[in-house]
Amino acid sequence: MSTGFSFQCQAYCCDTHARAGVFTTPHGPVETPRFMPVGTLANVKTVTPDQLRAAGAQMVLANTYHLHLQPGEAIVARAGGLHRFMAWNGPILTDSGGFQVFSLSELRQISDEGVTFRSPKDGQIIRLTPERSIEIQNALGADVIMAFDECPPYPANREEVMEATDRTYRWLKRCIVAHQRIDQALFGIVQGGVYPDLRQDAARMLADLDLPGYAIGGVSVGEPAELIKQIVKVTAPILPSEKPRYLMGVGTYREMVQAIAAGIDLFDCVIPTRLARHANALVRGDRWNLRNARFREDFTSLDKDCPCYTCQNFTRAYLSHLLRSQELLGYTLLSIHNITELVRFTQNIRSAILRGTFKAEFGHWL
């Protein structure tokens, strides 16, 4: 049993399954719904921990697969765990490495025992099992760790998805046995592809295991947006209402609103920093390419209503100049704004749920 964790709902939407809550962890609370920035290699690209906090981030992600390859979990453990290693004193979540391993379709072999793959870094043969994934995550020391799962590709036929979903459940039970730390919460992952009945069956089976939290995985892997909406809509309400629900790999405005309406609490996505590296700013739901000519002599702030460091100090013209010149500061400033934008978006949704105005304010996204 994990200690130091709890989830409390503070308000519900009377028209949808949306809820506002607080997920308490050993490293502090996470107010939900909440967007979580991705820090794959124990850093959110181009952004310092202080800048992350100023952007409103409460919980960040790191990646088991990548950290195992470099620098190795033993080094992170000797540094005092991820929190000390990356100088982030807030909650951290690590994924299991499953999604990354399964994306190496030409480099890996899957069996009931686990996955064998060739490292794209140095060609070394690596074997990752549910037990090994948990062992690595125990060493990394994140607050929330994810069960090792098989993420079927899109499109995949029903038989392939059934096999992957059944294997994910068997692996979850092995993860539970292998998990050694009570200061880490192990979340299970619902798979099932685009098949509603498989998703619902998987959700019911996972709910019976009484885990500290639950995730919906295997979405946003190439399927149409309408299918993502339907998958989440039929799956999320089945998961225990007294536990946090996490939708993996989703961070667009419409998809987050639709998922929150279905009862989702937590989100992660690489969108804010990836877009920044391609000179794209998120502004009130739109994406602006700041290399466009119209910004070269635009001396207004990116968004006059945004409280972030970037918007409070710099103009669109200056950002355009930095990005056209490929100056690293440009990527940092744009990442700060994009992260702030997505965190504020989920904060505004939370406030609307607390006021009882979620449907009125965000219904146009549904």
Side-chain angles (χ1 to χ4, degrees), residues 63-70 73 96-111 114-130 132-133 136 148 171:
N63 184 275
T64 297
Y65 164 78
H66 289 289
L67 289 172
H68 174 61
L69 296 182
Q70 171 63 41
E73 65 275 9
S96 68
F99 177 79
Q100 287 72 31
V101 169
F102 291 107
S103 67
L104 301 172
S105 57
E106 297 179 359
L107 302 174
R108 49 94 172 143
Q109 292 182 328
I110 307 172
S111 70
V115 183
T116 302
F117 64 98
R118 187 178 298 277
S119 168
K121 185 178 182 64
D122 59 11
Q124 178 183 355
I125 298 297
I126 298 175
R127 186 164 185 75
L128 199 57
T129 64
R132 186 72 181 107
S133 173
I136 294 168
F148 192 58
W171 282 357

Side-chain angles (χ1 to χ4, degrees), residues 190 196 199-200 203 216 230-239 262:
V190 178
R199 288 280 183 178
Q200 292 174 317
I216 298 176
Q230 293 304 318
I231 290 166
V232 177
K233 186 176 181 179
V234 302
T235 305
I238 295 174
L239 298 172

Side-chain angles (χ1 to χ4, degrees), residues 302-314:
L302 198 54
D303 182 351
K304 64 181 178 61
D305 296 321
C306 178
C308 81
Y309 174 75
T310 301
C311 291
Q312 293 299 308
N313 290 279
F314 304 99

Side-chain angles (χ1 to χ4, degrees), residues 268-280:
D268 80 281
C269 193
V270 298
I271 279 178
T273 52
R274 178 173 290 172
L275 287 179
R277 296 195 301 279
H278 290 86
N280 285 293

Side-chain angles (χ1 to χ4, degrees), residues 144-189:
V144 174
I145 66 175
M146 302 305 299
F148 192 58
D149 64 322
E150 181 177 351
C151 180
Y154 177 84
N157 64 46
R158 184 181 177 88
E159 184 177 346
E160 292 170 328
V161 173
M162 283 183 64
E163 184 178 1
T165 304
D166 290 344
R167 183 176 283 135
T168 291
Y169 179 70
R170 296 195 299 272
W171 282 357
L172 170 59
K173 291 195 288 186
R174 288 165 57 185
C175 288
I176 294 170
V177 173
H179 185 33
Q180 296 295 314
R181 293 181 56 164
I182 62 172
D183 61 340
Q184 293 180 303
L186 172 64
F187 281 25
I189 302 175

